[in-house]
Amino acid sequence: MRRVLYAMASALLISTLTGIPALASGPTEWVEVFSEDGTIQQVKVPKRDQPRTAFAVPPPANVVALQQTGPSEQRFDLVFVGDGYTSSELGTFHAHAAEKWAFLQTVEPFRTYRNSFNVWMVDVVSPQSGVDNDPTQGISRNTALGMGFWCANTERLLCVNENAARAYAANAPQADQVLALANSTKYGGAGGGVATASGGNTSSGWVAVHELGHSMAGLADEYDYPYGRYAGGEPYEANVSVYPAATQQYYHLKWYRYLGQPTPDGGVIGTYEGARYYRYGIYRPSENSLMRSLGRPFNSIGLDAMISAIRAKTG
């Protein structure tokens, strides 16, 4: 993931607000957790062990082009890898990947720029069907990518061995973004260097769209959990700013040209306090865009940043 995750909140605060037990001492990391109601939050969890892959080269796996519209040097390459799909279930994996790509194409800018993408499916074969802790805790399955729910004692947090996922994805001609699909109908997902989603759950497609906002356009999260007041400098991301509307307008900063204009996610562009994990002292361009809640369109700033990223890659 091409963004910095900020790790300053206490484990006690997270335990109080989320019901997740306070963490013992030791290495930790922040991950995005996606709820069924569309809300997103950063949760601090024990740092996940990412065993090194045993392969010096990508483990052999068949690659199927779901869509190929041009050379990878001039396209954005999205790579699906699957976990918990046995050799007899690769058709199911292909169907799940196709459904996720079809869903992406219902959301702008993917609808308009669908032909700017190559989409690959890497046939990762697992010894057993399904993933860990599905449908309940305590279920363990032998799979190629080690995916499982209840990661860090959080039910909907769907983790993956990112090293293994990237190793398999390297079979594709290029991988600008890797999305790991679990052979499951349970809602879940996670953000990170490799985004995860439930292959058989249609609602989890929004996870992929949100994560592409980060990886493609470098967009910041616009939700305001879990910190209080932001006291840093002007962020580099296009969709967050420490400057209110009047200051942006006067000095021609950030999204001043958009102020007062309608935005696809509803309302008009302004400066709405609360963004980038802070409640105060930092602003987002709209009330509630996709970078704040799943199931929403990108706001105008995010949408234009996505289009610019696509055009920069495709020429």
Side-chain angles (χ1 to χ4, degrees):
M1 183 63 56
R2 301 169 191 167
R3 71 188 192 279
V4 177
L5 299 181
Y6 302 91
M8 298 297 293
S10 69
L12 179 59
L13 173 63
I14 293 171
S15 177
T16 302
L17 296 180
T18 69
I20 298 172
L23 301 173
S25 60
T28 59
E29 63 182 342
W30 286 99
V31 294
E32 281 191 304
V33 178
F34 303 91
S35 301
E36 285 187 280
D37 64 1
T39 57
I40 315 169
Q41 60 181 330
Q42 291 277 330
V43 174
K44 197 177 191 181
V45 301
K47 190 171 181 63
R48 292 168 287 165
D49 184 25
Q50 296 288 346
R52 291 182 178 273
T53 176
F55 300 97
V57 296
N62 186 50
V63 179
V64 178
L66 181 56
Q67 171 175 298
Q68 186 176 9
T69 61
S72 291
E73 294 76 17
Q74 299 174 10
R75 295 292 184 270
F76 191 94
D77 287 72
L78 176 63
V79 180
F80 288 99
V81 295
D83 197 39
Y85 298 90
T86 63
S87 58
S88 64
E89 294 175 315
L90 290 177
T92 301
F93 165 60
H94 292 170
H96 287 169
E99 288 166 2
K100 290 293 182 288
W101 173 235
F103 174 79
L104 277 171
Q105 294 175 77
T106 68
V107 181
E108 291 291 1
F110 304 101
R111 179 189 293 121
T112 298
Y113 291 89
R114 60 173 66 89
N115 290 329
S116 296
F117 288 81
N118 290 334
V119 185
W120 311 97
M121 301 180 293
V122 178
D123 290 342
V124 181
V125 178
S126 290
Q128 287 186 292
S129 178
V131 295
D132 291 346
N133 301 316
D134 183 21
T136 58
Q137 281 184 289
I139 294 175
S140 179
R141 294 185 171 92
N142 181 15
T143 64
L145 305 182
M147 292 185 77
F149 292 93
W150 283 100
C151 186
N153 203 35
T154 305
E155 182 177 5
R156 304 293 177 175
L157 184 55
L158 178 60
C159 290
V160 66
N161 181 335
E162 293 189 6
N163 290 334
R166 287 194 184 96
Y168 276 100
N171 284 282
Q174 189 166 299
D176 292 309
Q177 173 68 46
V178 180
L179 178 62
L181 300 182
N183 187 9
S184 173
T185 58
K186 183 183 179 77
Y187 180 84
V194 176
T196 70
S198 300
N201 186 287
T202 56
S203 298
S204 66
W206 282 108
V207 175
V209 186
H210 176 91
E211 287 305 313
L212 287 170
H214 290 307
S215 62
M216 289 180 62
L219 296 175
D221 287 310
E222 295 177 8
Y223 50 90
D224 54 15
Y225 177 88
Y227 305 136
R229 179 167 295 278
Y230 181 77
E234 175 69 349
Y236 66 89
E237 299 97 337
N239 61 322
V240 288
S241 178
V242 299
Y243 300 113
T247 305
Q248 289 197 30
Q249 188 71 64
Y250 186 82
Y251 290 104
H252 290 186
L253 302 172
K254 277 285 170 73
W255 56 84
Y256 78 95
R257 287 192 175 93
Y258 297 80
L259 291 171
Q261 296 181 9
T263 177
D265 55 317
V268 299
I269 295 296
T271 48
Y272 299 81
E273 193 168 25
R276 209 176 186 239
Y277 324 127
Y278 290 85
R279 295 183 182 180
Y280 309 106
I282 191 168
Y283 302 94
R284 62 189 188 275
S286 64
E287 183 62 41
N288 192 18
S289 84
L290 175 57
M291 301 313 293
R292 184 174 174 87
S293 301
L294 299 186
R296 306 284 302 174
F298 286 105
N299 57 38
S300 301
I301 285 74
L303 181 60
D304 283 356
M306 291 289 287
I307 292 171
S308 294
I310 293 170
R311 288 177 173 171
K313 183 72 190 291
T314 59

